[in-house]
Amino acid sequence: MLTIILKAGKEKSLLRRHPWVYSSSIHRIEGKPEEKTKSGATAVVQSHAGQFLARAAYSPQSQIRARVWTFNESEPVDHALIKRRVQKAVAYRATNVKDTDAIRLIFAEADGLPGLVVDWYGGRAGWLVCQFQSAGVELWKSAIVQALIAETGCANVYERSDAAVREREGLPLVTGVLAGDMPGTETPAEENGVRYAVDVQKGHKTGFYIDQRDNRRLVMEHASGREVLNCFCYTGGFSLAALTGGAKNVISIDSSGEALTVARRNVELNGFDAAKAEWRDDDVFKTLRTLRAEGKLFDLIVLDPPKFAASSEHVDRAARAYKDINMLGLRLLRENGLLFTYSCSGAIDADLFQKIVAGAATDAGVDARILKRLSAGIDHPMTTSFPEGEYLKGLMLQKM
Ligand code: SAH
């Protein structure tokens, strides 16, 4: 049996039910030589004094050397555990997620399946799109796929394990069909009455930024009659929301031409007047300055950039980038105009983000009301023991 014995004192985070064992916390590993090199093998984690702490998936190459399956000594790691976790996650979404068929079905650690992300598009006739981002879920892949099909009634499962985090676990990047049919380039999804084409094969992550659903709804509710600027628009999520909410017009910026092609398609799918939507294939930092030079002003601006801080080492540089776009955004707003501003960098918490935005307001020479603090949707549950899951934060501001 593979046993991980921690250094003295290093049991504290596990006793608080935090599900990670860092390599630096490990005193000694006991087991057969073949177990000690087996990616994803189940290990018992013990305190220095020999107390049972958890059963965890062992990842021989990762800094996060093991991820907890269970803190319960009498719970074995087997098919039944996988099935129970999937069942629970599916039931939670069935009760809580409304007005969409684009759902984050499994949110990794927060659903007791460390490193597994599953997004579900289009209901039973649609696709389950999976990212296996840790050694443990990689080893249990076929059990997971079986459980997903059984619990959802959706037979099409596609793998998008091409996120760079796989490399930290020593896993190769792979994509492809795991069950059922190959998805086309346009998997249909509907959110808050808006239709989107999702390219699950080639789109970012699993094809769509499901986490922003509630925030897109909020923009929809405030868009009526407004001139809107959507920065980092990807396939036009916030732009379509604004048009649905009755925006006068929307300018959207993204540096990915492929994303903008899908965005234009989404305008067509929803039958909107293409003249109301202008798409700029360009850099946001540059374009915000151009718009200011052109003397443009807006009533509603969305800033939803990619993750500027990949880890805590990049926080300073990322903070400068967030501050820059927020300062420019605030300057481009009319009086009483609304700014919806986000950060998806886990290394920047909500307090720090608010301070950065406050600094941006100072530099822009404006005062702003904080109307709302924003986060990811309910299908990205935040748990008490895993603060890392709370990566998306945002503010709804009004220029005074
Ligand atoms: N708001 C979107 C998701 C945004 S993802 C939604 O609701 O679906 C971030 C986007 O920023 C990506 O589409 C990426 O292509 C784009 N991007 C990254 N850096 C950029 C830059 N410097 N200028 C313009 N777009 C950029």
Side-chain angles (χ1 to χ4, degrees):
M1 185 184 70
L2 192 63
T3 308
I4 296 174
I5 298 143
L6 301 185
K7 292 177 184 164
K10 292 296 183 189
E11 70 284 359
K12 288 194 190 114
S13 63
L14 281 113
L15 291 172
R16 286 197 304 266
R17 303 177 75 80
H18 187 269
W20 290 351
V21 177
Y22 287 99
S23 63
S24 58
S25 304
I26 297 174
H27 170 61
R28 190 158 47 88
I29 298 177
E30 289 177 355
K32 298 191 197 103
E34 66 272 21
E35 285 176 329
K36 289 191 189 180
T37 53
K38 188 178 173 193
S39 181
T42 301
V44 167
V45 185
Q46 287 181 358
S47 70
H48 197 68
Q51 178 196 5
F52 173 92
L53 296 169
R55 279 197 186 83
Y58 177 57
S59 184
Q61 294 192 34
S62 176
Q63 288 302 310
I64 305 173
R65 193 54 51 92
R67 296 177 193 237
V68 173
W69 286 117
T70 177
F71 294 100
N72 179 354
E73 192 165 6
S74 60
E75 186 175 34
V77 178
D78 54 13
H79 280 69
L81 175 142
I82 301 285
K83 197 170 165 63
R84 280 194 304 277
R85 299 287 163 85
V86 171
Q87 241 164 14
K88 257 194 171 178
V90 172
Y92 170 75
R93 273 73 180 177
T95 325
N96 290 289
V97 180
K98 308 245 150 50
D99 303 321
T100 188
D101 62 5
I103 300 165
R104 170 60 54 94
L105 197 65
I106 312 276
F107 186 40
E109 274 75 354
D111 285 304
L113 292 163
L116 178 66
V117 167
V118 181
D119 290 341
W120 186 14
Y121 300 104
R124 289 194 178 172
W127 269 266
L128 293 155
V129 188
C130 310
Q131 297 181 308
F132 296 85
Q133 298 181 348
S134 71
V137 291
E138 176 73 16
L139 187 71
W140 288 91
K141 191 180 280 180
S142 71
I144 289 167
V145 171
Q146 267 177 42
L148 284 169
I149 295 172
E151 295 306 318
T152 61
C154 172
N156 302 315
V157 187
Y158 190 76
E159 176 170 22
R160 278 294 304 271
S161 295
D162 53 351
V165 289
R166 291 257 303 180
E167 286 164 350
R168 283 188 237 156
E169 297 274 314
L171 302 170
L173 305 188
V174 289
T175 60
V177 174
L178 292 172
D181 296 334
M182 183 84 169
T185 52
E186 289 190 5
T187 295
E190 193 170 321
E191 173 194 278
N192 297 320
V194 185
R195 297 166 68 194
Y196 295 98
V198 179
D199 187 347
V200 305
Q201 284 191 51
K202 299 222 173 65
H204 294 180
K205 306 204 288 185
T206 69
F208 194 60
Y209 288 86
I210 291 178
D211 52 0
Q212 289 285 28
R213 177 196 314 120
D214 295 353
N215 295 317
R216 286 188 285 260
R217 154 82 70 160
L218 197 63
V219 163
M220 189 186 291
E221 287 165 359
H222 289 86
S224 181
R226 293 183 182 247
E227 292 190 76
V228 175
L229 176 65
N230 180 13
C231 302
F232 308 97
C233 68
Y234 186 51
T235 56
F238 282 102
S239 314
L240 270 296
L243 290 170
T244 306
K248 199 166 151 196
N249 53 55
V250 185
I251 296 179
S252 309
I253 313 164
D254 202 284
S255 55
S256 160
E258 285 136 40
L260 293 178
T261 302
V262 180
R264 287 196 180 87
R265 174 80 181 118
N266 285 335
V267 170
E268 205 178 285
L269 276 176
N270 289 280
F272 286 117
D273 178 2
K276 282 191 175 179
E278 178 185 335
W279 306 95
R280 295 201 186 185
D281 181 350
D282 215 331
D283 176 62
V284 165
F285 292 85
K286 188 184 112 200
T287 309
L288 288 173
R289 289 183 166 82
T290 312
L291 290 167
R292 183 154 162 81
E294 290 169 4
K296 286 252 171 39
L297 286 173
F298 299 89
D299 308 302
L300 191 162
I301 298 179
V302 178
L303 296 171
D304 183 25
K307 186 159 66 172
F308 285 153
S311 70
S312 52
E313 298 140 55
H314 304 114
V315 166
D316 286 347
R317 205 182 55 200
R320 284 195 292 278
Y322 285 118
K323 191 173 167 187
D324 189 44
I325 54 171
N326 280 280
M327 180 195 71
L328 294 163
L330 284 164
R331 285 198 171 138
L332 285 169
L333 274 181
R334 296 200 173 92
E335 192 179 318
N336 290 325
L338 300 173
L339 177 66
F340 295 81
T341 182
Y342 301 93
S343 162
C344 60
S345 301
I348 293 180
D349 67 16
D351 275 358
L352 177 57
F353 184 59
Q354 189 171 322
K355 287 195 182 98
I356 294 167
V357 174
T362 307
D363 286 6
V366 305
D367 288 314
R369 297 183 189 99
I370 298 173
L371 299 188
K372 255 187 173 65
R373 295 198 168 85
L374 308 168
S375 61
I378 200 155
D379 47 350
H380 296 64
M382 297 182 263
T383 60
T384 49
S385 54
F386 189 65
E388 289 86 346
E390 201 181 333
Y391 66 102
L392 180 66
K393 69 280 309 178
L395 294 167
M396 176 183 179
L397 299 176
Q398 185 174 42
K399 187 170 180 173
M400 294 170 71

